[in-house]
Amino acid sequence: EPEVTQTPSHQVTQMGQEVILRCVPISNHLYFYWYRQILGQKVEFLVSFYNNEISEKSEIFDDQFSVERPDGSNFTLKIRSTKLEDSAMYFCASSEGVRGRTTNEKLFFGSGTQLSVL
Amino acid sequence: AQSVTQPDIHITVSEGASLELRCNYSYGATPYLFWYVQSPGQGLQLLLKYFSGDTLVQGIKGFEAEFKRSQSSFNLRKPSVHWSDAAEYFCAVRGGTASKLTFGTGTRLQVTL
C-alpha cells in the first residue's frame, strides 16, 4: 500500500524557534492535511490544503502556523515561534481528492513527527 | 458541529475473547464514520468506514462495525481478539462537505495472553 512519509520522526526545539515539519504525500493525491495529537488527548484537525490553498482550518491553526507545497512532492507545516503547548505528535495525511471531494475518501496518514518544545 | 465520544479510555481483554469498542457521534445529518487504529510508533491506519447502505460494515483484520442511527452509535467489534490487536483505536466522523475528520479521544486496547 502507498505511504505518506514524514520527516523527521522526532524534533526537539527551543521555545520561540521556528520549526518546519515535512511530509511527502502519496504521489497522485490532491488533498493534504495536518493533524496533531497532544499526549493523552485526541487527534485534532489543523488544516486541509487543496489546489495550492487552504481548504479548511481549525481554530488551532492561528497566525503562527502556515502550510506550503514548495514543490511537486513535499507538503510542509511551519510553526513560526514555537510555544511549550505546541509539543505534540503531528500527523500529515493525504487523500485522492477526486473532483475536489473528500467526504467519502480514505485518508492515508503518515507515522508522525513528535515535536518537543523545551 | 460534529463530535465523537468514545466512553472507554482503556479496555483489557483476553486473547480469543470478543471485543466491542463503543463510539457515539453527534451530527445533524447522516455522517461519514471511520475507525482508525494506531499501533505504537505508527501512523493511523483505516480499519473501516461507513458512508451509506448496509449498516454493518466489514473492515480489515477481521473487524466490523455497525451503524445505528437511532443510537447515534458506530461500535467496533471483533469476535476473537489476537495479541497483535493491542493498540489505540479511534472513531472519527466527517460530515457534509467538510474536509476535516473529527476524532474521538481513543480507546487503548490491551490484550492479555
Side-chain angles (χ1 to χ4, degrees):
Chain A
E1 186 168 80
E3 288 186 346
V4 174
T5 306
Q6 289 187 244
T7 56
S9 56
H10 292 85
Q11 178 138 9
V12 180
T13 189
Q14 296 291 324
M15 189 169 55
Q17 295 296 304
E18 174 184 285
V19 294
I20 297 176
L21 308 183
R22 302 182 192 280
C23 170
V24 179
I26 294 170
S27 61
N28 63 336
H29 284 186
L30 302 177
Y31 246 102
F32 315 116
Y33 312 80
W34 284 102
Y35 287 77
R36 79 174 185 188
Q37 184 182 24
I38 295 172
L39 186 64
Q41 300 186 23
K42 66 172 69 177
V43 177
E44 300 173 294
F45 169 78
L46 292 179
V47 66
S48 61
F49 189 87
Y50 174 76
N51 199 26
N52 285 316
E53 61 182 21
I54 290 174
S55 175
E56 191 176 357
K57 63 181 181 179
S58 71
E59 59 276 8
I60 303 168
F61 194 86
D62 61 22
D63 291 344
Q64 292 298 311
F65 292 88
S66 62
V67 289
E68 190 178 30
R69 186 151 166 84
D71 53 42
S73 59
N74 291 284
F75 179 54
T76 62
L77 174 69
K78 181 192 291 187
I79 309 175
R80 214 176 318 277
S81 176
T82 50
K83 303 187 286 286
L84 295 176
E85 54 265 37
D86 294 326
S87 296
M89 177 73 86
Y90 288 81
F91 292 105
C92 175
S94 69
S95 65
E96 287 186 357
V98 175
R99 294 188 295 277
R101 295 186 59 200
T102 66
T103 47
N104 60 349
E105 287 190 341
K106 174 180 178 178
L107 264 64
F108 291 78
F109 283 84
S111 55
T113 294
Q114 180 66 52
L115 176 65
S116 298
V117 182
L118 306 179
Chain B
Q2 58 210 41
S3 67
V4 175
T5 302
Q6 293 181 250
D8 303 308
I9 296 172
H10 188 203
I11 284 183
T12 300
V13 299
S14 301
E15 189 176 38
S18 63
L19 171 71
E20 181 168 27
L21 302 182
R22 295 184 290 167
C23 171
N24 292 96
Y25 69 89
S26 174
Y27 181 67
T30 301
Y32 299 98
L33 295 161
F34 306 80
W35 274 99
Y36 282 84
V37 61
Q38 183 183 23
S39 299
Q42 303 294 313
L44 294 158
Q45 182 183 23
L46 180 69
L47 286 174
L48 47 78
K49 58 186 179 181
Y50 170 79
F51 299 139
S52 63
D54 193 350
T55 56
L56 184 65
V57 293
Q58 302 296 322
I60 62 171
K61 304 184 179 185
F63 285 93
E64 66 179 27
E66 186 171 11
F67 171 63
K68 293 185 178 180
R69 184 189 302 276
S70 61
Q71 298 176 19
S72 297
S73 69
F74 188 58
N75 294 348
L76 182 72
R77 301 194 294 249
K78 186 169 184 178
S80 178
V81 169
H82 188 263
W83 64 266
S84 60
D85 293 324
E88 185 110 24
Y89 291 80
F90 293 93
C91 183
V93 64
R94 179 193 252 161
T97 57
S99 59
K100 70 176 185 180
L101 279 175
T102 298
F103 285 86
T105 50
T107 297
R108 179 163 296 279
L109 174 65
Q110 185 174 357
V111 180
T112 57
L113 298 176

